Amino acid sequence: GAKSNGRGTVCFYEAAMNASLQNRRALEMGLRQALVRDEFLLHYQPLVDARTHEILGFEALIRWAHPERGLVAPSEFISIAESCGLIGEIGRWTLRRACLDARSWPGQVKVAVNLSPVQFKDRQLVEAVRAVLEESGLAPERLELEITESVLLHDSEAVLSSLHRIKALGVQISMDDFGTGYSSLSYLRSFPFDKIKIDRSFVRDLPHDTNSVAIVRAVVGLSGTFGISVTAEGVETSEQARQLALEDCDQLQGYLFSRPIPAAGIPELIGRLADAAPSAGAVADLGV
Ligand code: C2E
Ligand code: MG
Ligand code: MG
Ligand code: MG
């Protein structure tokens, strides 16, 4: 009857919860071991000039080389690392690895590193950034730190102070995934961003979807008045790339140019994209 069905449902939920709790505990333990066993690695995805498609930088994207599961994506472990207190150590590893890798790239090519909002609770964050720059010898102007707008929701005085101190080091700050959170265009005025990255959900339906075009246009327009540069994420087709260049986006990132790749593939990728970049004539043909 209904009663036993209800009970069965409860048992089912309990079992599922236990399974997910166990899964979570296993992940936590695995993450601790991963730090010790050096199982994290970075892949890099190019950021290109929207008009010339020249490579301007690379975003570092973490992966976990799990001994049994193979490469694990950040969406499967970053939020757990954030809630179990491991994101600080993982974040410091990422920042250091990325700065060391970037030293061997051509002189003006930048490296972008994602920072978790949780890392802003660490009072040593700014000092850690300074120390990594010193150790690696990377010019501060070549480092960009990407943060999402959720970082601005809590204790924004403290976050603002950290952002200003990071900028005082000469490092650039980018707002990531713009438009997905509790975005307020007023953030652009209140916080010291050098760049905003339009989330790929606004790029997906370009060039045909008039709402997406309007959003891109508004963001580019307002950013321009604040002197903030604009990158579009998730560019997969040449039609999207063309539209974004016409709308005066500064930089593009997406599978059209390259998927994220291991650091070892960067020299070859730089050569390949240089060959594929549109000539000055082709850029003129875009009407840009
Ligand atoms: P994100 O910072 O917005 O990075 C862009 C994500 O979009 C990456 O996913 C990238 O592989 C994916 N992507 C790039 N181009 C395209 C495209 O054309 N189409 C589609 N569909 N996707 C594209 P990934 O590498 O899985 O990273 C996911 C998120 O994990 C990142 O989003 C970032 O928020 C977080 N993350 C990655 N590495 C780190 C890290 O070292 N620290 C922290 N705290 N978070 C990280
Ligand atoms: Mg990012
Ligand atoms: Mg992003
Ligand atoms: Mg995004």
Side-chain angles (χ1 to χ4, degrees), residues 5-21:
N5 273 347
R7 205 179 139 64
T9 307
V10 168
C11 286
F12 172 77
Y13 283 140
E14 276 172 4
M17 268 173 60
N18 282 335
S20 75
L21 201 66

Side-chain angles (χ1 to χ4, degrees), residues 59 114 146 176 197:
E59 178 174 2
N114 293 284
E146 299 192 357
D176 206 350
K197 300 183 76 174

Side-chain angles (χ1 to χ4, degrees), residues 139-250:
E141 295 72 26
R142 291 180 64 193
L143 177 62
E144 295 179 351
L145 296 178
E146 299 192 357
I147 57 172
T148 55
E149 44 208 349
S150 66
V151 79
L152 308 174
L153 289 179
H154 309 288
D155 203 358
S156 58
E157 285 302 309
V159 170
L160 193 58
S161 148
S162 297
L163 292 178
H164 279 295
R165 284 184 294 140
I166 289 170
K167 273 188 69 101
L169 298 172
V171 173
Q172 316 258 303
I173 309 279
S174 306
M175 179 185 267
D176 206 350
D177 301 338
F178 187 74
T180 55
Y182 306 86
S183 321
S184 157
L185 288 174
S186 71
Y187 286 158
L188 299 184
R189 191 192 55 194
S190 327
F191 291 90
F193 297 107
D194 300 286
K195 179 195 263 192
I196 70 173
K197 300 183 76 174
I198 300 180
D199 190 67
R200 68 166 181 266
S201 53
F202 303 106
V203 171
R204 192 187 50 217
D205 300 325
L206 294 177
H208 305 293
D209 180 58
T210 51
N211 289 332
S212 300
V213 173
I215 287 167
V216 168
R217 195 167 291 167
V219 172
V220 168
L222 199 63
S223 300
T225 67
F226 291 114
I228 299 170
S229 94
V230 177
T231 299
E233 302 187 299
V235 180
E236 297 185 354
T237 70
S238 48
E239 289 74 25
Q240 291 166 346
R242 183 175 179 279
Q243 183 69 33
L244 289 159
L246 287 170
E247 294 297 338
D248 257 346
C249 255
D250 300 289

